[in-house]
Amino acid sequence: MFQKLIAESTAKSPWLFHINSGSCNGCDIELVAILTPRYDVERLGFKLAGSPRQADIVVVTGPVTKQSLNRVLSTISQVPEPRCIVTMGSCPQSGNVFKGSYSVCAPLSQYVHVDVDIAGCAPKPEAIIDGLAKATKILKEKRGRM
Amino acid sequence: MDFPFVREAVVKLFSRPSCNNYPFTPREAAPNYRGRIVFHPETCINCNMCERVCAGGAIIHTSVKNEEGDDVITRSFDLGSCTFCSTCADFCTRHSIELTQDYHMIGIEEGDLIVSGTFIKKKPAPKPAPKPAAPAAAKEEAAAPAAPAVKPRGDGKPAQDPDKCVYCTICARKCPGEALTVDRKEKTWKLDEDKCVACGTCADVCPKNAIVI
Ligand code: SF4
Ligand code: SF4
Ligand code: SF4
Ligand code: SF4
């Protein structure tokens, strides 16, 4: 009975963990913006988690620099399954304007499975909310399969 | 005891929330917001200027020949690689690229973030004989000292006025099709008819207005 209650509650409130993999800070600012009273995603249950071990959704920003690659991957591996990996902005999806640089390892999708891509540079806060809503849906499906 | 902000707290308790309640109340982006790219293939002339100026390398095109020998050109924009700088739209002389206010760009499956369009570029071949003759005639006419100014060729491709031209080579450097060869020392201006796509960029950039379209 408690298990069911916990499952239902976690489905309603996915926790986010944000990884900056060398982003220009544009995307990070927008991600923080959705937590402000203006957009207030906490009313939809999203909450920024302090540790990857407590997170359900991982949001990666930045073009995955060589320095950060191993740290990003080890942080993602600490997030318990079922998890949902969201890339935010053009950087982790393709490298964006940093494409071809000697120090950039993007796209992230060649190292881990990415569930949702939010396009934009930086994405509008509303687009981030859309993307997180999609991620929640995918998370629910993954839970159902477990 | 002094309680600061008590008044504000009470007033705010009864005022409207500042939250804009997004997913439940749809919101429009601000005017001139640069979101999803819309490509109009009907007007594109495949000059490739957009690909050359794109910082994110988001634009690619493929070209295949169909049965009639025409080129079927597909140009695609990868929104997952775009910085939404709008440089491509600014440089497109044909206004074939538009950045819209649509910001709902979420990719879940492959291809969700690709915008593409296809058009057919007709083969210009049918009359190969008069073609080389035409520029020669135009050049002779232009080279003759009596000719006051060059006449536009009428097919959208550039004609040069040797009286005005200072052989600065700007047009050759700006030509997206690399159709122009200008030699400063020899004072020659040559147009490769096959490479020219009649975009008019050369006439726009010429500081001496020596090119007529
Ligand atoms: S997508 Fe754009 S805003 Fe986001 S980190 Fe990359 S360059 Fe910065
Ligand atoms: S710049 Fe405009 S006309 Fe030229 S290839 Fe690009 S879309 Fe087509
Ligand atoms: S908006 Fe900028 S980054 Fe995007 S396709 Fe156009 S030129 Fe490239
Ligand atoms: S010669 Fe002029 S019109 Fe022709 S492709 Fe070059 S810039 Fe465009």
Side-chain angles (χ1 to χ4, degrees):
Chain A
M1 193 194 105
F2 278 119
Q3 276 303 327
K4 208 173 148 236
L5 191 69
I6 291 170
E8 269 173 17
S9 323
T10 42
K12 268 191 188 155
S13 175
W15 286 16
L16 307 175
F17 188 74
H18 169 208
I19 306 174
N20 176 341
S21 68
S23 137
C24 76
N25 217 23
C27 285
D28 312 80
I29 290 283
E30 297 298 309
L31 189 69
V32 174
I34 66 166
L35 298 161
T36 60
R38 172 78 63 194
Y39 298 100
D40 199 13
V41 280
E42 286 191 8
R43 87 203 126 94
L44 307 171
F46 297 106
K47 189 177 173 300
L48 219 48
S51 147
R53 292 174 209 278
Q54 298 163 349
D56 302 298
I57 298 176
V58 197
V59 182
V60 184
T61 60
V64 197
T65 57
K66 231 181 196 168
Q67 279 274 341
S68 69
L69 175 66
N70 280 337
R71 285 137 176 123
V72 169
L73 295 183
S74 70
T75 312
I76 287 178
S77 67
Q78 289 171 37
V79 180
E81 291 278 3
R83 63 181 175 219
C84 192
I85 299 175
V86 179
T87 60
M88 186 176 151
S90 296
C91 282
Q93 289 161 45
S94 62
N96 202 356
V97 290
F98 311 109
K99 202 184 281 164
S101 163
Y102 64 92
S103 60
V104 159
C105 304
L108 182 70
S109 52
Q110 57 184 327
Y111 307 105
V112 284
H113 174 76
V114 174
D115 298 281
V116 180
D117 294 318
I118 306 174
C121 177
K124 213 170 148 51
E126 284 89 348
I128 304 172
I129 297 176
D130 285 349
L132 290 180
K134 291 259 159 65
T136 315
K137 226 178 254 162
I138 291 174
L139 203 59
K140 212 181 234 169
E141 279 166 26
K142 282 189 177 177
R143 282 232 174 77
R145 257 185 271 133
M146 276 195 115
Chain B
M1 217 171 143
D2 196 14
F3 290 105
F5 307 121
V6 169
R7 233 195 99 219
E8 279 83 353
V10 174
V11 168
K12 286 282 181 281
L13 206 55
F14 296 103
S15 65
R16 272 183 60 236
S18 72
C19 176
N20 59 28
N21 206 17
Y22 166 65
F24 312 109
T25 343
R27 283 196 88 212
E28 273 204 10
N32 297 332
Y33 179 81
R34 300 191 298 264
R36 183 183 289 277
I37 290 176
V38 172
F39 175 52
H40 304 286
E42 327 73 75
T43 51
C44 177
I45 53 174
N46 199 31
C47 68
N48 287 348
M49 192 52 132
C50 48
E51 282 171 43
R52 278 178 45 170
V53 296
C54 178
I59 312 173
I60 50 162
H61 78 277
T62 55
S63 168
V64 281
K65 286 237 184 295
N66 67 4
E67 305 89 62
E68 284 118 64
D70 303 331
D71 287 323
V72 180
I73 293 161
T74 305
R75 170 162 270 99
S76 22
F77 298 78
D78 180 5
L79 298 182
S81 188
C82 174
T83 56
F84 302 91
C85 58
S86 156
T87 311
C88 52
D90 294 347
F91 271 84
C92 180
T93 49
R94 291 308 167 116
H95 309 289
S96 302
I97 305 170
E98 212 186 323
L99 275 85
T100 58
Q101 269 171 284
D102 176 15
Y103 55 81
H104 306 274
M105 294 175 286
I106 309 295
I108 293 177
E109 247 118 76
E110 196 133 314
D112 279 359
L113 292 176
I114 306 280
V115 172
S116 70
T118 305
F119 59 97
I120 292 173
K121 196 175 176 187
K122 285 263 183 284
K123 204 165 82 182
K127 31 169 187 167
K131 269 229 157 162
K139 240 177 227 162
E140 267 164 34
E141 186 197 311
V150 276
K151 287 194 199 80
R153 301 165 38 132
D155 59 358
K157 290 181 182 168
Q160 172 235 21
D161 184 350
D163 290 334
K164 287 189 190 162
C165 181
V166 291
Y167 303 97
C168 64
T169 74
I170 288 181
C171 57
R173 271 182 278 149
K174 293 282 178 182
C175 175
E178 291 172 0
L180 286 168
T181 325
V182 179
D183 196 324
R184 252 187 93 69
K185 290 214 183 93
E186 303 288 336
K187 301 248 183 295
T188 54
W189 184 95
K190 266 196 229 92
L191 171 70
D192 187 339
E193 302 266 339
D194 295 329
K195 284 187 185 163
C196 178
V197 292
C199 65
T201 304
C202 47
D204 287 345
V205 298
C206 180
K208 294 287 178 182
N209 289 332
I211 295 178
V212 286
I213 297 283

